[in-house]
């Protein structure tokens, strides 16, 4: 696949993908394609895709509907949960509207309690995600993956075959490999693209419904960036290289990436969901028990809802070395207890084991802290 458009245009297109795909979602709905709305990287996408459904992320990232959500939910709750609930309540998000079923998981306390209320507006099914990664937890999660398959089969009056599940596993592994190939370009020094642009592609990709063509498209984009970099490797001057970790970002919280890059740093790696956390591991295609392979891959995601959460440290360890990182910035959303509590162990790991500076930023979806963010980032990057 050859890409004719210029890179800035492609980055903008991906950046707007959430809105751009509304129309495509509408057209797919007209063809009776089921939509499954999700809130989390733990959702085993391949199972829904195996019945021909589109999977769409519903996590909302703007503060527009938070006042409405706060009429029902506590103010002191994570903005991602309030915003998502607010969009459902006000019916402002087309993806909520199009979703035939919303699947949640028992991740953090706020989210799982919010799903109970969400069930008043929509059909909601909650998977029981264990909060550990032990062999017993894996057994339970495998059963939950199979229960999800059975739930979809009965609600949509269809049969999900193992053959189709295996096919979708291959498709999603290809997407993971393509995205990894793409974000690995930022290992180069100086960087071939800004972190803001890299993020637009990662985030926008989740709103591309045709996963088969997505891997080709990302592969072609990576090739284009490589060629342009060979011609002009100094488009972006050398700058301190930052790894971003913590809560999911997107929409309003992209202000943190901008604050780093407007103040002299480059974000070269995203460990968060929609970055490496979601793409790093593949499902083992050769496992004779495909449901066990799916369960194993998803349960090993290193999110702070797990205890202990050694897989997050293992991934961070590797990424810090591979991306020759100069410092780590952790973004946590206000009232996200699991990430906020875990930030101490991340700070210790980064400072003591990796010998690097670490900064924690607690934020929300408002624009109120942009000035303060700029001041803090400028001081932090200056020190590097
Ligand atoms: S795998 S990061 S998408 S749970 S909603 S935990 S911010 S208090 S989103 Fe997440 Fe899945 Fe983990 Fe990723 Fe905190 Fe808010 Fe809870 Fe949140």
């Amino acid at each position: 696949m050859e890409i004719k458009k210029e890179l800035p245009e492609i980055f903008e297109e991906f950046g707007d993908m959430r809105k751009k795909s509304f129309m495509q979602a509408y057209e797919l709905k007209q063809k009776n394609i089921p939509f499954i709305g999700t809130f989390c990287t733990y959702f085993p996408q391949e199972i829904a895709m195996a019945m021909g459904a589109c999977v769409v992320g519903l996590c909302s990232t703007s503060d527009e509907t938070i006042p409405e959500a706060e009429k029902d939910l506590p103010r002191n709750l994570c903005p991602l949960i309030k915003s998502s609930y607010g969009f459902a309540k006000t019916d402002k998000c087309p993806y909520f509207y199009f979703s035939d079923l919303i699947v949640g998981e028992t991740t953090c306390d706020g989210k799982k309690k919010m799903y109970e209320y969400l069930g008043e507006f929509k059909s909601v099914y909650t998977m029981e995600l264990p909060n550990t990664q032990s062999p017993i937890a894996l057994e339970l999660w495998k059963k939950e993956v199979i229960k999800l398959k059975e739930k979809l089969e009965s609600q949509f009056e269809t049969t999900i075959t193992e053959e189709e599940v295996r096919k979708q596993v291959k498709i999603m592994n290809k997407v993971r490999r393509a995205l990894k190939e793409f974000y690995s370009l930022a290992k180069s020094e100086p960087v071939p693209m800004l972190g803001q642009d890299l993020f637009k592609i990662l985030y926008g990709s989740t709103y591309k419904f045709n996963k088969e063509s997505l891997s080709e498209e990302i592969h072609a984009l990576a090739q284009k960036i490589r060629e342009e970099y060979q011609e002009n490797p100094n488009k972006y001057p050398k700058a301190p290289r930052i790894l971003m970790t913590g809560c999911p970002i997107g929409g309003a919280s992209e202000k943190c990436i901008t604050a780093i890059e407007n103040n002299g740093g480059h974000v070269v790696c995203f460990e968060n969901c929609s970055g490496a956390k979601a793409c790093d591991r593949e499902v083992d295609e050769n496992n004779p028990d495909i449901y066990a392979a799916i369960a194993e891959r998803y349960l090993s995601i290193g999110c702070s809802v797990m205890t202990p959460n050694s897989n997050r440290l293992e991934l961070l360890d590797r990424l810090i070395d591979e991306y020759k990182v100069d410092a780590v910035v952790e973004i946590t959303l206000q009232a996200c207890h699991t990430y906020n509590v875990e930030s101490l162990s991340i700070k210790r790991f980064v400072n003591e084991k990796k010998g690097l500076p670490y900064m924690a930023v607690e934020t929300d979806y408002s624009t109120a802290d942009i000035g303060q963010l700029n001041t803090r980032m400028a001081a932090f990057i200056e020190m590097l």
Side-chain angles (χ1 to χ4, degrees), residues 13 27 141 269 284 315 353 382:
E13 252 184 45
E27 284 160 13
W141 186 234
C269 185
D284 179 3
L315 179 59
K353 291 262 164 46
E382 168 107 36

Side-chain angles (χ1 to χ4, degrees), residues 135-256:
I136 291 175
L138 182 56
E139 260 175 54
L140 168 67
W141 186 234
K142 182 186 154 189
K143 284 186 187 147
E144 285 295 301
V145 171
I146 293 169
K147 255 172 77 187
L148 169 72
K149 171 182 109 68
E150 290 164 356
K151 161 73 188 169
L152 296 176
E153 286 178 326
S154 80
Q155 175 156 342
F156 295 93
E157 295 173 351
T158 185
T159 304
I160 297 175
T161 63
E162 187 180 322
E163 193 191 349
E164 198 52 44
V165 173
R166 284 190 180 277
K167 188 175 154 203
Q168 299 305 324
V169 161
K170 285 201 171 120
I171 292 173
M172 283 310 294
N173 275 348
K174 261 181 138 182
V175 171
R176 291 176 187 119
R177 277 197 292 275
L179 287 169
K180 238 175 133 172
E181 176 202 356
F182 166 73
Y183 66 70
S184 295
L185 294 171
K187 286 180 185 171
S188 306
E189 203 174 356
V191 289
M193 66 189 137
L194 292 175
Q196 334 177 16
D197 292 331
L198 195 163
F199 187 77
K200 280 179 192 145
I201 303 295
L202 292 175
Y203 188 63
S205 296
T206 61
Y207 292 97
K208 290 254 181 183
F209 300 123
N210 185 339
K211 301 296 181 197
E212 277 188 282
S213 60
L214 175 63
S215 42
E216 296 298 312
E217 207 178 329
I218 297 295
H219 183 69
L221 176 61
Q223 185 55 28
K224 189 174 176 74
I225 293 174
R226 250 192 306 267
E227 281 163 14
E228 290 203 7
Y229 188 66
Q230 266 168 11
E231 276 173 31
N232 179 16
N234 296 310
K235 184 170 177 189
Y236 299 107
K238 274 193 173 186
R241 300 167 64 81
I242 310 290
L243 179 143
M244 198 173 256
T245 182
C247 291
I249 39 175
S253 48
E254 282 171 51
K255 63 186 173 187
C256 302

Side-chain angles (χ1 to χ4, degrees), residues 39-42 78 81 107-108 111 247-248 273 303 333 336 339:
F39 283 97
C40 184
T41 313
Y42 284 106
C78 150
I81 303 174
T107 51
C108 64
K111 238 185 191 177
C247 291
C273 280
C303 170
L333 292 173
C336 172
Y339 274 100

Side-chain angles (χ1 to χ4, degrees), residues 97-143:
Y97 179 77
F98 292 142
S99 295
D100 301 283
L101 175 71
I102 291 176
V103 181
E105 298 79 15
T106 51
T107 51
C108 64
D109 289 349
K111 238 185 191 177
K112 70 187 173 210
K113 296 309 287 181
M114 183 270 281
Y115 295 143
E116 294 175 15
Y117 298 122
L118 209 58
E120 293 170 11
F121 315 117
K122 274 278 177 191
S123 171
V124 174
Y125 176 79
T126 305
M127 296 178 76
E128 190 178 338
L129 176 77
N131 288 168
T132 73
Q133 291 158 328
S134 66
I136 291 175
L138 182 56
E139 260 175 54
L140 168 67
W141 186 234
K142 182 186 154 189
K143 284 186 187 147

